[in-house]
Every structure is written in structure tokens, then in C-alpha cells.
């Protein structure tokens, strides 16, 4: 919860790598090195399989993410967890106008409520457990009234690939409601209301 107190600031993080200029609310993406990443990438037809939200702590950037439990991770650790240290940073084009003090307060409240929730390997739409893009989507929706990306049906994804079928068998025991809503990292990534702040390799410090 203490990390979310720092969401009241929109100041640039002076402790970020020199080529990164980050603000609270920026959305970060990478190609995760997790065991499920290949299947997620194939199902969503994207190299980007994980996402989180930048939060600030004493002027330094951290990432609120759903991986294991919902938690706050040091930015450097988030970068290192992605393949080849490749990072994409997106920002609302009208962030200064949209992320008002009231919206930031609500975003803090949503983030605090979801903190510690287990990772949702079944990618269900309820809040019992949370997956990465669902966390980003719900913090923005419930906190700022912003719908990022396009909510799809699970059946809209590429489910016929062998790796995807294996993941479904493991996580859902083959029982899948193809009409269930899902929000994917790439859907948020491609939202036209977001501008690209950074897209590239982050050098080691």
C-alpha cells in the first residue's frame, strides 16, 4: 500500500536509466521469460506477453504487476525479466489532463485492493485472482474511467496452436468457455490513445 501513496506524484523519475523518462501511470510491456510466455504470445499473435503500470516511490520508478501475487517490482528487475532487456513504454496522450488528483486517488485505492492477489493462470474475468493485463485494465477503468484496449472473447484468440492447447489443458483441464471476456497485453499496447515513450533495449547500468 505504501507504494501507492506515491501515485500522487506525476514527477519524472530521476533515478530511471538515462534514456528513460517515466511518469506515474505509464504502462510498460516486455516479452516475458516465464514458462507460459510462448503460449500467450501465440494465442495473442504478439511478442509482448507481459505488462504493468509505473508507480513512483521517493522519486524512483517501480512497476505494479501481476506476477505470482500482485506486487510492486523494481523497474530494473522488470526490465531484466524481459527477453533481451527490450522494453516498451506507453503513455496516455492526455495523461496530464486525465490523471487528475481524484483519479490518482481512485487508482491508488484500486491498486491497494488488488495488491497481493494471486496470479490468475486461468485468465478468468473476476477479481479473485488477477493476470497482468487485467490488472492494468481494471486500475485504469475503475480508477480513471478509461477503457484501454479492446475486451475480446477467449474464443477470439488463436487457440489451435499446440502450445496454447497444452496450456489450456493444464490450466482449465480442457474446459474453456470461449465466450468469457479477456483483455490481452497487445490489445492495450495498440490502443490509439497511447503514445510510445520508449521502444528498445535498455542498457545495463
Amino acid at each position: 500500500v505504501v507504494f501507492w501513496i506515491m501515485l500522487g506524484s506525476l514527477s519524472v523519475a530521476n533515478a530511471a536509466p538515462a534514456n528513460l523518462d517515466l511518469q506515474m501511470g505509464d504502462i510498460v510491456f516486455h516479452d516475458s521469460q516465464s514458462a507460459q510466455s510462448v503460449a500467450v504470445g501465440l494465442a495473442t499473435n504478439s511478442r509482448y506477453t507481459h505488462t504493468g503500470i509505473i508507480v513512483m516511490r521517493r522519486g524512483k520508478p517501480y512497476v505494479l504487476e501481476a506476477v505470482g501475487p500482485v506486487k510492486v517490482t523494481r523497474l530494473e528487475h522488470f526490465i531484466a525479466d524481459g527477453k533481451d532487456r527490450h522494453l516498451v513504454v506507453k503513455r496516455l496522450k492526455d495523461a496530464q489532463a486525465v490523471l487528475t488528483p481524484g483519479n490518482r486517488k481512485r487508482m491508488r485505492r484500486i491498486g491497494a485492493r488488488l495488491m497481493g492477489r494471486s496470479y490468475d493462470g486461468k485468465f478468468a474475468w473476476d477479481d479473485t485472482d488477477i493476470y497482468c493485463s487485467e490488472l492494468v485494465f481494471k486500475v485504469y477503468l475503475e480508477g480513471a474511467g478509461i477503457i484501454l484496449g479492446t475486451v475480446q472473447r477467449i474464443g477470439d484468440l488463436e487457440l489451435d496452436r499446440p502450445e496454447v492447447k497444452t496450456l489450456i489443458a493444464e490450466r482449465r483441464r480442457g474446459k474453456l468457455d470461449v465466450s468469457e471476456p479477456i483483455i490481452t497485453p497487445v490489445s492495450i499496447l495498440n490502443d490509439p490513445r497511447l503514445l510510445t515513450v520508449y521502444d528498445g533495449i535498455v542498457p545495463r547500468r
Side-chain angles (χ1 to χ4, degrees), residues 114-135:
L114 298 177
M115 192 75 74
R117 299 284 177 95
S118 298
Y119 183 78
D120 187 1
K122 294 182 178 180
F123 307 106
W125 193 244
D126 60 52
D127 289 353
T128 304
D129 301 317
I130 299 290
Y131 58 91
C132 67
S133 43
E134 180 188 18
L135 174 67

PDB file of all heavy atoms in Angstrom, residues 114-135:
ATOM      1  N   LEU A 114      -6.216  -4.671  -4.904  1.00  0.00           N
ATOM      2  CA  LEU A 114      -5.778  -5.843  -5.662  1.00  0.00           C
ATOM      3  C   LEU A 114      -4.402  -6.349  -5.230  1.00  0.00           C
ATOM      4  O   LEU A 114      -4.011  -7.466  -5.605  1.00  0.00           O
ATOM      5  CB  LEU A 114      -5.757  -5.517  -7.156  1.00  0.00           C
ATOM      6  CG  LEU A 114      -7.106  -5.140  -7.774  1.00  0.00           C
ATOM      7  CD1 LEU A 114      -6.935  -4.764  -9.234  1.00  0.00           C
ATOM      8  CD2 LEU A 114      -8.106  -6.281  -7.631  1.00  0.00           C
ATOM      9  N   MET A 115      -3.676  -5.562  -4.450  1.00  0.00           N
ATOM     10  CA  MET A 115      -2.347  -5.968  -4.028  1.00  0.00           C
ATOM     11  C   MET A 115      -2.388  -7.309  -3.302  1.00  0.00           C
ATOM     12  O   MET A 115      -3.222  -7.553  -2.435  1.00  0.00           O
ATOM     13  CB  MET A 115      -1.747  -4.908  -3.103  1.00  0.00           C
ATOM     14  CG  MET A 115      -0.261  -5.085  -2.828  1.00  0.00           C
ATOM     15  SD  MET A 115       0.742  -4.595  -4.236  1.00  0.00           S
ATOM     16  CE  MET A 115       0.593  -2.813  -4.150  1.00  0.00           C
ATOM     17  N   GLY A 116      -1.482  -8.199  -3.667  1.00  0.00           N
ATOM     18  CA  GLY A 116      -1.391  -9.496  -3.010  1.00  0.00           C
ATOM     19  C   GLY A 116      -2.272 -10.571  -3.611  1.00  0.00           C
ATOM     20  O   GLY A 116      -2.151 -11.742  -3.228  1.00  0.00           O
ATOM     21  N   ARG A 117      -3.151 -10.214  -4.561  1.00  0.00           N
ATOM     22  CA  ARG A 117      -3.984 -11.238  -5.200  1.00  0.00           C
ATOM     23  C   ARG A 117      -3.090 -12.217  -5.970  1.00  0.00           C
ATOM     24  O   ARG A 117      -2.090 -11.825  -6.563  1.00  0.00           O
ATOM     25  CB  ARG A 117      -4.988 -10.610  -6.179  1.00  0.00           C
ATOM     26  CG  ARG A 117      -5.965  -9.642  -5.527  1.00  0.00           C
ATOM     27  CD  ARG A 117      -7.059 -10.340  -4.737  1.00  0.00           C
ATOM     28  NE  ARG A 117      -7.909  -9.369  -4.076  1.00  0.00           N
ATOM     29  CZ  ARG A 117      -9.044  -8.914  -4.563  1.00  0.00           C
ATOM     30  NH1 ARG A 117      -9.473  -9.334  -5.747  1.00  0.00           N
ATOM     31  NH2 ARG A 117      -9.761  -8.031  -3.898  1.00  0.00           N
ATOM     32  N   SER A 118      -3.471 -13.461  -5.978  1.00  0.00           N
ATOM     33  CA  SER A 118      -2.699 -14.480  -6.686  1.00  0.00           C
ATOM     34  C   SER A 118      -2.791 -14.281  -8.190  1.00  0.00           C
ATOM     35  O   SER A 118      -3.738 -13.666  -8.695  1.00  0.00           O
ATOM     36  CB  SER A 118      -3.222 -15.878  -6.334  1.00  0.00           C
ATOM     37  OG  SER A 118      -3.062 -16.137  -4.958  1.00  0.00           O
ATOM     38  N   TYR A 119      -1.789 -14.796  -8.910  1.00  0.00           N
ATOM     39  CA  TYR A 119      -1.806 -14.703 -10.358  1.00  0.00           C
ATOM     40  C   TYR A 119      -2.885 -15.619 -10.920  1.00  0.00           C
ATOM     41  O   TYR A 119      -3.037 -16.769 -10.491  1.00  0.00           O
ATOM     42  CB  TYR A 119      -0.451 -15.094 -10.952  1.00  0.00           C
ATOM     43  CG  TYR A 119      -0.422 -14.931 -12.447  1.00  0.00           C
ATOM     44  CD1 TYR A 119      -0.268 -13.671 -13.018  1.00  0.00           C
ATOM     45  CD2 TYR A 119      -0.593 -16.023 -13.296  1.00  0.00           C
ATOM     46  CE1 TYR A 119      -0.277 -13.507 -14.396  1.00  0.00           C
ATOM     47  CE2 TYR A 119      -0.596 -15.864 -14.675  1.00  0.00           C
ATOM     48  CZ  TYR A 119      -0.434 -14.610 -15.213  1.00  0.00           C
ATOM     49  OH  TYR A 119      -0.446 -14.453 -16.567  1.00  0.00           O
ATOM     50  N   ASP A 120      -3.611 -15.112 -11.896  1.00  0.00           N
ATOM     51  CA  ASP A 120      -4.724 -15.863 -12.476  1.00  0.00           C
ATOM     52  C   ASP A 120      -4.259 -16.609 -13.727  1.00  0.00           C
ATOM     53  O   ASP A 120      -4.324 -16.088 -14.840  1.00  0.00           O
ATOM     54  CB  ASP A 120      -5.867 -14.912 -12.818  1.00  0.00           C
ATOM     55  CG  ASP A 120      -7.111 -15.659 -13.273  1.00  0.00           C
ATOM     56  OD1 ASP A 120      -7.080 -16.913 -13.296  1.00  0.00           O
ATOM     57  OD2 ASP A 120      -8.110 -15.001 -13.601  1.00  0.00           O
ATOM     58  N   GLY A 121      -3.799 -17.823 -13.543  1.00  0.00           N
ATOM     59  CA  GLY A 121      -3.342 -18.637 -14.658  1.00  0.00           C
ATOM     60  C   GLY A 121      -4.464 -19.136 -15.546  1.00  0.00           C
ATOM     61  O   GLY A 121      -4.200 -19.626 -16.650  1.00  0.00           O
ATOM     62  N   LYS A 122      -5.702 -18.988 -15.088  1.00  0.00           N
ATOM     63  CA  LYS A 122      -6.849 -19.389 -15.910  1.00  0.00           C
ATOM     64  C   LYS A 122      -7.382 -18.218 -16.742  1.00  0.00           C
ATOM     65  O   LYS A 122      -8.260 -18.405 -17.558  1.00  0.00           O
ATOM     66  CB  LYS A 122      -7.969 -19.932 -15.013  1.00  0.00           C
ATOM     67  CG  LYS A 122      -7.598 -21.236 -14.306  1.00  0.00           C
ATOM     68  CD  LYS A 122      -8.765 -21.747 -13.475  1.00  0.00           C
ATOM     69  CE  LYS A 122      -8.412 -23.075 -12.808  1.00  0.00           C
ATOM     70  NZ  LYS A 122      -9.536 -23.588 -11.984  1.00  0.00           N
ATOM     71  N   PHE A 123      -6.871 -17.023 -16.475  1.00  0.00           N
ATOM     72  CA  PHE A 123      -7.268 -15.821 -17.203  1.00  0.00           C
ATOM     73  C   PHE A 123      -8.779 -15.591 -17.116  1.00  0.00           C
ATOM     74  O   PHE A 123      -9.434 -15.260 -18.112  1.00  0.00           O
ATOM     75  CB  PHE A 123      -6.809 -15.885 -18.665  1.00  0.00           C
ATOM     76  CG  PHE A 123      -5.331 -16.163 -18.798  1.00  0.00           C
ATOM     77  CD1 PHE A 123      -4.882 -17.407 -19.202  1.00  0.00           C
ATOM     78  CD2 PHE A 123      -4.403 -15.186 -18.488  1.00  0.00           C
ATOM     79  CE1 PHE A 123      -3.524 -17.676 -19.307  1.00  0.00           C
ATOM     80  CE2 PHE A 123      -3.040 -15.443 -18.588  1.00  0.00           C
ATOM     81  CZ  PHE A 123      -2.606 -16.683 -19.004  1.00  0.00           C
ATOM     82  N   ALA A 124      -9.316 -15.753 -15.913  1.00  0.00           N
ATOM     83  CA  ALA A 124     -10.742 -15.510 -15.682  1.00  0.00           C
ATOM     84  C   ALA A 124     -10.983 -14.018 -15.473  1.00  0.00           C
ATOM     85  O   ALA A 124     -10.076 -13.273 -15.097  1.00  0.00           O
ATOM     86  CB  ALA A 124     -11.222 -16.307 -14.476  1.00  0.00           C
ATOM     87  N   TRP A 125     -12.220 -13.572 -15.670  1.00  0.00           N
ATOM     88  CA  TRP A 125     -12.530 -12.149 -15.656  1.00  0.00           C
ATOM     89  C   TRP A 125     -12.841 -11.616 -14.265  1.00  0.00           C
ATOM     90  O   TRP A 125     -12.863 -10.408 -14.037  1.00  0.00           O
ATOM     91  CB  TRP A 125     -13.700 -11.876 -16.596  1.00  0.00           C
ATOM     92  CG  TRP A 125     -13.907 -10.418 -16.892  1.00  0.00           C
ATOM     93  CD1 TRP A 125     -14.991  -9.656 -16.572  1.00  0.00           C
ATOM     94  CD2 TRP A 125     -13.010  -9.536 -17.585  1.00  0.00           C
ATOM     95  NE1 TRP A 125     -14.826  -8.362 -17.013  1.00  0.00           N
ATOM     96  CE2 TRP A 125     -13.615  -8.261 -17.644  1.00  0.00           C
ATOM     97  CE3 TRP A 125     -11.737  -9.704 -18.147  1.00  0.00           C
ATOM     98  CZ2 TRP A 125     -13.010  -7.165 -18.243  1.00  0.00           C
ATOM     99  CZ3 TRP A 125     -11.133  -8.610 -18.761  1.00  0.00           C
ATOM    100  CH2 TRP A 125     -11.765  -7.364 -18.797  1.00  0.00           C
ATOM    101  N   ASP A 126     -13.084 -12.490 -13.293  1.00  0.00           N
ATOM    102  CA  ASP A 126     -13.402 -11.993 -11.954  1.00  0.00           C
ATOM    103  C   ASP A 126     -12.131 -11.523 -11.251  1.00  0.00           C
ATOM    104  O   ASP A 126     -11.022 -11.676 -11.760  1.00  0.00           O
ATOM    105  CB  ASP A 126     -14.112 -13.072 -11.125  1.00  0.00           C
ATOM    106  CG  ASP A 126     -13.269 -14.322 -10.937  1.00  0.00           C
ATOM    107  OD1 ASP A 126     -12.110 -14.197 -10.500  1.00  0.00           O
ATOM    108  OD2 ASP A 126     -13.753 -15.428 -11.242  1.00  0.00           O
ATOM    109  N   ASP A 127     -12.308 -10.931 -10.061  1.00  0.00           N
ATOM    110  CA  ASP A 127     -11.182 -10.353  -9.331  1.00  0.00           C
ATOM    111  C   ASP A 127     -10.588 -11.286  -8.284  1.00  0.00           C
ATOM    112  O   ASP A 127      -9.736 -10.861  -7.507  1.00  0.00           O
ATOM    113  CB  ASP A 127     -11.627  -9.063  -8.629  1.00  0.00           C
ATOM    114  CG  ASP A 127     -11.866  -7.929  -9.613  1.00  0.00           C
ATOM    115  OD1 ASP A 127     -11.565  -8.116 -10.802  1.00  0.00           O
ATOM    116  OD2 ASP A 127     -12.359  -6.873  -9.183  1.00  0.00           O
ATOM    117  N   THR A 128     -11.027 -12.529  -8.249  1.00  0.00           N
ATOM    118  CA  THR A 128     -10.487 -13.451  -7.244  1.00  0.00           C
ATOM    119  C   THR A 128      -8.972 -13.562  -7.392  1.00  0.00           C
ATOM    120  O   THR A 128      -8.215 -13.439  -6.426  1.00  0.00           O
ATOM    121  CB  THR A 128     -11.131 -14.837  -7.378  1.00  0.00           C
ATOM    122  OG1 THR A 128     -12.553 -14.698  -7.279  1.00  0.00           O
ATOM    123  CG2 THR A 128     -10.621 -15.772  -6.284  1.00  0.00           C
ATOM    124  N   ASP A 129      -8.522 -13.808  -8.600  1.00  0.00           N
ATOM    125  CA  ASP A 129      -7.113 -13.768  -8.966  1.00  0.00           C
ATOM    126  C   ASP A 129      -6.983 -12.812 -10.150  1.00  0.00           C
ATOM    127  O   ASP A 129      -7.964 -12.520 -10.835  1.00  0.00           O
ATOM    128  CB  ASP A 129      -6.599 -15.163  -9.352  1.00  0.00           C
ATOM    129  CG  ASP A 129      -6.764 -16.170  -8.219  1.00  0.00           C
ATOM    130  OD1 ASP A 129      -6.470 -15.827  -7.060  1.00  0.00           O
ATOM    131  OD2 ASP A 129      -7.211 -17.301  -8.494  1.00  0.00           O
ATOM    132  N   ILE A 130      -5.758 -12.351 -10.412  1.00  0.00           N
ATOM    133  CA  ILE A 130      -5.565 -11.302 -11.414  1.00  0.00           C
ATOM    134  C   ILE A 130      -4.404 -11.660 -12.344  1.00  0.00           C
ATOM    135  O   ILE A 130      -3.344 -12.095 -11.884  1.00  0.00           O
ATOM    136  CB  ILE A 130      -5.258  -9.947 -10.733  1.00  0.00           C
ATOM    137  CG1 ILE A 130      -6.419  -9.512  -9.832  1.00  0.00           C
ATOM    138  CG2 ILE A 130      -4.959  -8.862 -11.767  1.00  0.00           C
ATOM    139  CD1 ILE A 130      -7.671  -9.113 -10.568  1.00  0.00           C
ATOM    140  N   TYR A 131      -4.598 -11.470 -13.657  1.00  0.00           N
ATOM    141  CA  TYR A 131      -3.477 -11.594 -14.588  1.00  0.00           C
ATOM    142  C   TYR A 131      -3.029 -10.199 -15.019  1.00  0.00           C
ATOM    143  O   TYR A 131      -3.715  -9.198 -14.749  1.00  0.00           O
ATOM    144  CB  TYR A 131      -3.819 -12.489 -15.775  1.00  0.00           C
ATOM    145  CG  TYR A 131      -5.003 -12.093 -16.615  1.00  0.00           C
ATOM    146  CD1 TYR A 131      -4.855 -11.270 -17.719  1.00  0.00           C
ATOM    147  CD2 TYR A 131      -6.285 -12.572 -16.322  1.00  0.00           C
ATOM    148  CE1 TYR A 131      -5.935 -10.917 -18.510  1.00  0.00           C
ATOM    149  CE2 TYR A 131      -7.376 -12.227 -17.109  1.00  0.00           C
ATOM    150  CZ  TYR A 131      -7.196 -11.399 -18.195  1.00  0.00           C
ATOM    151  OH  TYR A 131      -8.267 -11.049 -18.972  1.00  0.00           O
ATOM    152  N   CYS A 132      -1.888 -10.111 -15.693  1.00  0.00           N
ATOM    153  CA  CYS A 132      -1.197  -8.824 -15.850  1.00  0.00           C
ATOM    154  C   CYS A 132      -2.015  -7.754 -16.560  1.00  0.00           C
ATOM    155  O   CYS A 132      -2.168  -6.636 -16.050  1.00  0.00           O
ATOM    156  CB  CYS A 132       0.149  -9.033 -16.530  1.00  0.00           C
ATOM    157  SG  CYS A 132       0.083  -9.574 -18.270  1.00  0.00           S
ATOM    158  N   SER A 133      -2.523  -8.060 -17.740  1.00  0.00           N
ATOM    159  CA  SER A 133      -3.263  -7.049 -18.491  1.00  0.00           C
ATOM    160  C   SER A 133      -4.613  -6.735 -17.852  1.00  0.00           C
ATOM    161  O   SER A 133      -5.132  -5.618 -17.980  1.00  0.00           O
ATOM    162  CB  SER A 133      -3.442  -7.484 -19.949  1.00  0.00           C
ATOM    163  OG  SER A 133      -3.793  -8.849 -20.047  1.00  0.00           O
ATOM    164  N   GLU A 134      -5.160  -7.702 -17.144  1.00  0.00           N
ATOM    165  CA  GLU A 134      -6.399  -7.455 -16.395  1.00  0.00           C
ATOM    166  C   GLU A 134      -6.146  -6.423 -15.296  1.00  0.00           C
ATOM    167  O   GLU A 134      -6.983  -5.542 -15.049  1.00  0.00           O
ATOM    168  CB  GLU A 134      -6.910  -8.762 -15.787  1.00  0.00           C
ATOM    169  CG  GLU A 134      -8.188  -8.633 -14.979  1.00  0.00           C
ATOM    170  CD  GLU A 134      -8.547  -9.918 -14.249  1.00  0.00           C
ATOM    171  OE1 GLU A 134      -7.663 -10.789 -14.075  1.00  0.00           O
ATOM    172  OE2 GLU A 134      -9.712 -10.044 -13.842  1.00  0.00           O
ATOM    173  N   LEU A 135      -5.002  -6.506 -14.645  1.00  0.00           N
ATOM    174  CA  LEU A 135      -4.647  -5.539 -13.606  1.00  0.00           C
ATOM    175  C   LEU A 135      -4.562  -4.131 -14.180  1.00  0.00           C
ATOM    176  O   LEU A 135      -5.161  -3.196 -13.646  1.00  0.00           O
ATOM    177  CB  LEU A 135      -3.302  -5.935 -12.981  1.00  0.00           C
ATOM    178  CG  LEU A 135      -2.710  -4.938 -11.976  1.00  0.00           C
ATOM    179  CD1 LEU A 135      -3.571  -4.847 -10.729  1.00  0.00           C
ATOM    180  CD2 LEU A 135      -1.272  -5.332 -11.623  1.00  0.00           C
TER     181      LEU A 135
END
